[in-house]
Amino acid sequence: MTRWMTTIAAFALSASAVSAETIGFAVPSLASSFWVSATYGVQQQAKEAGVDVIVTDAGGDANVVQQISQIQDLVQRGVDAIVIGATNGDSVAPVIEQALAAGIKVVGLSSPPANDGLSAIVSADHYDMGKLQAECMGAALGGKGEVAMMAGPQGQTWSDSRAKGFTDTLAAEFPDITVVAESRLADNRNDALRVAEDWTQRFPDVDGIYSATDDMAVGVIGAFEAAGIKDVVFTASNLSPTAQDMIRSGKLRCTSIQKIVAQGRAALDAAVGAVRGEAIETSIVTPALMIDADNVDTVDLGDVVAPEGYRP
């Protein structure tokens, strides 16, 4: 009996000595449907891996100082790794350098910090997402017309790449489509709504509007509906439940999507693998897909968006 109890006690001591790793997850804004779905993937995979996750929300793409402060706090708390979607890759680089110097593993997700020494970068093919939008827009307009771009925040890899994919493809495949306006705002529907309200006055005859995300597209479509302007082709990226409804209703022509939940899972796995000294892929890119009214009800969304009603 004594030997058995000693064995149990030794096992308990060993288990407590090997505490669960703690992973920090720093996101620009949980008001964005993208980061909600990414957080779902991270949290679900953390349960599978048996690790703890601390989620920080900077509260907006423009809140670089807030995110820097949050990362400094994660470093002080001694997390084992940080998965980060940067508010601005260049601006957060110095604090990420501090984390790396402290021996903390860092994985970039979608919008990585501009640092060498990251354990991995997980992203979608953002250029191809913009390309798919251009192809959808070009076909819908018959290769002619004027379009505006709600292109997303400046300095974030994903928005820059999508915008380039869109404009490159228009120039190469649809030279008779002209971009007449471009806004580089934070990724939220309220700012998009305000800019689009101005566009309804300045460009009432615009033929199409590209939005970098479906959250922005909701604001844009709302502004044009309120102004009574019809027959505008709207395209977007990502696929929130709201975007699914807009595609079914015909308000949104198409959306190029990425496997957001799968990216969150992959980023968490990469962070845990790096902490545990395992061999991991340093560059993980998920493919882009096009969703429209023809396939919105048949595509498997398990790797794409968080379940409806989920909140981090």
Side-chain angles (χ1 to χ4, degrees), residues 8-246:
I8 294 295
F11 175 81
L13 179 62
S14 173
S16 63
V18 185
S19 59
E21 294 95 342
T22 300
I23 313 298
F25 183 34
V27 307
S29 174
L30 285 176
S32 162
S33 61
F34 173 89
W35 291 113
V36 169
S37 292
T39 302
Y40 176 77
V42 166
Q43 291 180 330
Q44 292 301 304
Q45 203 64 18
K47 293 177 183 178
E48 294 288 329
V51 301
D52 297 325
V53 175
I54 300 171
V55 179
T56 67
D57 174 12
D61 295 295
N63 295 341
V64 178
V65 173
Q66 174 73 356
Q67 187 172 59
I68 290 172
S69 176
Q70 291 171 341
I71 295 168
Q72 288 172 331
D73 181 64
L74 291 173
V75 173
Q76 291 171 0
R77 294 173 70 168
V79 297
D80 298 287
I82 296 173
V83 176
I84 176 172
T87 50
N88 184 291
D90 292 323
S91 297
V92 303
V95 72
I96 292 298
E97 205 62 40
Q98 295 174 19
L100 293 169
I104 297 171
K105 306 299 184 183
V106 179
V107 172
L109 173 56
S110 185
S111 180
N115 298 82
D116 295 326
L118 301 184
S119 295
I121 294 176
V122 180
S123 66
D125 189 338
H126 294 293
Y127 184 92
D128 202 40
M129 291 176 74
K131 179 177 184 292
L132 289 174
Q133 274 205 62
E135 291 173 347
C136 172
M137 180 76 76
L141 297 181
K144 297 180 179 180
E146 295 183 341
V147 302
M149 294 178 64
M150 199 69 69
Q154 193 91 37
Q156 292 203 8
T157 303
W158 65 268
S159 57
D160 293 343
S161 295
R162 288 183 201 175
K164 183 169 174 52
F166 183 78
T167 55
D168 283 357
T169 304
L170 287 186
E173 300 182 21
F174 306 101
D176 291 329
I177 294 180
T178 304
V179 176
V180 295
E182 180 177 359
S183 172
R184 298 306 303 262
L185 285 174
D187 176 16
N188 67 78
R189 68 182 63 183
N190 291 331
D191 283 344
L193 173 65
R194 285 191 288 271
V195 173
E197 286 173 339
D198 176 63
W199 285 356
T200 63
Q201 301 297 316
R202 295 173 55 205
F203 308 106
D205 298 322
V206 71
D207 300 294
I209 298 181
Y210 158 105
S211 292
T213 70
D214 50 19
D215 289 335
M216 300 172 80
V218 172
V220 173
I221 292 172
F224 275 76
E225 285 184 337
I229 299 175
K230 301 179 180 180
D231 300 323
V232 179
V233 174
F234 300 101
T235 68
S237 287
N238 302 339
L239 188 64
S240 66
T242 300
Q244 295 171 45
D245 291 340
M246 289 194 300

